[in-house]
Amino acid sequence: MKRIAVFTSGGDSPGMNACIRAVVRTAVYHGIEVYGIMRGYSGMIKGEFVKLDSAAVSNTVQKGGTILKSARSQKFMTKEGRQQAFDQLVNNGIDGLVAIGGNGTFTGAMLFEQEFGIPTVGAPGTIDNDLFGTDYTIGYDTAVNTALEAIDKIRDTADSHDRCFFIEVMGRDSGYIAIPCAIGGGAEIVMVPETQMSTEAVIETLQNGWKRSKTSFIVIVAEGEEEGNVHKVAQRVKEAIPELDTRTTIIGHIQRGGSPTASDRLLGSQIGIAAVEGLMNGMRNVMAGIVDRKLVYTPFSDTIHKKKLLNQSFMRMVEILSV
C-alpha cells in the first residue's frame, strides 16, 4: 500500500470525522499517502479527490457530520458508473479504500471489489447500530443521547399537561435507538420492529395505566415499526381512548447531528486505525468492528446479510420499569 483513499457514504453520523482523522494520521504514521474522496461514490465517479495530510484533519475530531460530505449515488449502481469510478482510482494511483458508512456502502464496496479488485476495508458509520460484526456503530451513542435529551424535555411538558406523547426516533428497521431511549427516558411503552407489538397491546397498557390514575405517558416508536408511523399509532389510540390527551413528536434529523460523544470519538478513532492497518495486512471486503471489546474483521457478506439481534433482556427491562 502506497496510496489509499477514504470516503463517507450514505447517512452521516457523529464520529465520522474522528474516523477520517484516524485514517489519515494512521496512513501518515505508516508512510502511506492518503486522499479524501468528496461525496462518496458520486465523488469517486467524478474524480473529486483531495490529498490529505495530518494538518488537514486538525480540529475535526469534535465536529459532527463529515468533512468529506456524503451522498447517495444512483450512477454507482450501474456497471458504467462503477467503471468510471475505477478509472478515477487508477488515474489517481489508489491502491485501497476505506469506506465509512453502512449496509448500502458496503454492498457497493463488495460488488466493486469483485468486479475491479480494489481492496476495501469498511468502517461502520451509522446511527442505527444495525450492522452485524460490531457491538456499536460510529454515531450510535451520540444519537441516543441526543434523542434522550429531547425526550427528557418532552416528559416535562407531558407531566405538566397530563398528556400522552408518542415520540418517533430513528433507527430504520432497528430498535437499537428506541430501546435505550425508552429505558433511559422512563417511557411506559416502546414499539420496535423486532417485537411486533400491536396497537391493541399499546391501548391495553395505556388503559391499565389510566385506571391506576396515571395521567402522563411516553410511548417511543421506532421509525421502522410495522404497525405504522407514529401519527397512525397515535390516531388509533386516540380513537380507542378519547379521554386521553395525545400529542406526537418526530425527533428526526437532529439525531444525526451534533458533536460526537467521547464514546463515538474513541470508537471512530479505533476503527480508523484498524481499517488502515487491515489494508496494510492484505485484508479486503471486510468491516472493522469491536465485539466484546476486541477488534474483529467481518466479511462484508456477513455484515450485509446477517441479522444483528436485539438484546431481549432490554425489552424485559422496559416491561418491569414501566409498572
Side-chain angles (χ1 to χ4, degrees):
M1 287 286 155
K2 294 182 179 180
R3 183 179 294 176
I4 65 171
V6 56
F7 66 97
T8 53
S9 177
D12 61 306
S13 63
M16 279 185 165
N17 286 327
C19 189
I20 294 167
R21 173 178 176 267
V23 168
V24 172
R25 293 195 168 174
T26 304
V28 170
Y29 178 85
H30 289 291
I32 300 171
E33 283 189 293
V34 58
Y35 281 72
I37 304 175
M38 304 298 295
R39 298 175 181 84
Y41 289 120
S42 178
M44 192 183 297
I45 291 170
K46 296 175 183 177
E48 298 180 3
F49 291 73
V50 179
K51 188 172 183 179
L52 300 174
D53 57 17
S54 185
V57 291
S58 293
N59 196 32
T60 61
V61 70
Q62 80 280 11
K63 294 181 179 179
T66 163
I67 60 172
L68 295 178
K69 309 289 188 181
S70 188
R72 291 182 169 87
S73 175
Q74 292 293 325
K75 193 170 184 180
F76 191 80
M77 296 179 184
T78 67
K79 182 66 178 289
E80 177 188 7
R82 293 190 294 274
Q83 180 66 61
Q84 291 175 1
F86 174 71
D87 292 341
Q88 294 287 1
L89 293 177
V90 172
N91 291 339
N92 285 274
I94 303 300
D95 300 317
L97 296 170
V98 174
I100 307 172
N103 192 293
T105 302
F106 300 156
T107 300
M110 183 171 67
L111 181 60
F112 194 49
E113 193 276 337
Q114 290 170 352
E115 291 177 343
F116 298 103
I118 298 290
T120 303
V121 174
T126 168
I127 67 169
D128 297 338
N129 198 35
D130 58 351
L131 292 174
F132 179 86
T134 188
D135 289 340
Y136 300 105
T137 57
I138 301 165
Y140 169 66
D141 186 70
T142 307
V144 168
N145 280 282
T146 298
L148 193 57
E149 182 180 1
I151 291 166
D152 286 345
K153 294 175 180 178
I154 292 170
R155 168 68 78 179
D156 291 343
T157 189
D159 185 59
S160 296
H161 291 275
D162 294 336
R163 285 174 176 159
C164 176
F165 270 85
F166 294 82
I167 304 171
E168 182 179 286
V169 297
M170 283 183 162
R172 199 169 55 179
D173 300 321
S174 165
Y176 269 97
I177 293 178
I179 294 294
C181 283
I183 295 171
E188 283 69 31
I189 301 169
V190 59
M191 300 181 73
V192 296
E194 292 89 342
T195 61
Q196 298 180 338
M197 176 181 283
S198 67
T199 304
E200 288 71 25
V202 173
I203 293 168
E204 182 181 355
T205 301
L206 292 174
Q207 285 175 330
N208 290 336
W210 191 263
K211 290 175 183 177
R212 300 195 311 270
S213 300
K214 189 172 179 61
T215 56
S216 67
F217 304 88
I218 295 292
V219 179
I220 306 296
V221 182
E223 64 178 350
E225 169 56 38
E226 294 184 2
E227 282 289 290
N229 64 35
V230 68
H231 294 294
K232 291 180 179 178
V233 172
Q235 181 180 354
R236 290 199 290 268
V237 170
K238 182 66 176 177
E239 290 169 356
I241 317 175
E243 65 272 23
L244 194 63
D245 189 2
T246 62
R247 294 290 189 276
T248 58
T249 299
I250 298 175
I251 297 179
H253 282 74
I254 65 167
Q255 292 162 92
R256 282 194 184 171
S259 181
T261 60
S263 178
D264 276 327
R265 297 183 201 193
L266 177 60
L267 180 62
S269 299
Q270 285 180 290
I271 297 296
I273 293 171
V276 174
E277 294 185 341
L279 281 174
M280 293 173 61
N281 291 324
M283 294 188 177
R284 58 204 306 140
N285 270 347
V286 296
M287 180 194 77
I290 305 295
V291 177
D292 293 333
R293 301 184 181 181
K294 296 178 182 178
L295 173 66
V296 297
Y297 293 93
T298 301
F300 281 155
S301 56
D302 287 348
T303 297
I304 294 164
H305 298 298
K306 288 188 177 181
K307 180 72 173 177
K308 185 175 182 178
L309 300 178
L310 191 68
N311 189 333
Q312 290 301 312
S313 68
F314 288 165
M315 290 303 299
R316 185 168 181 269
M317 287 175 64
V318 174
E319 182 181 355
I320 291 172
L321 296 174
S322 63
V323 172

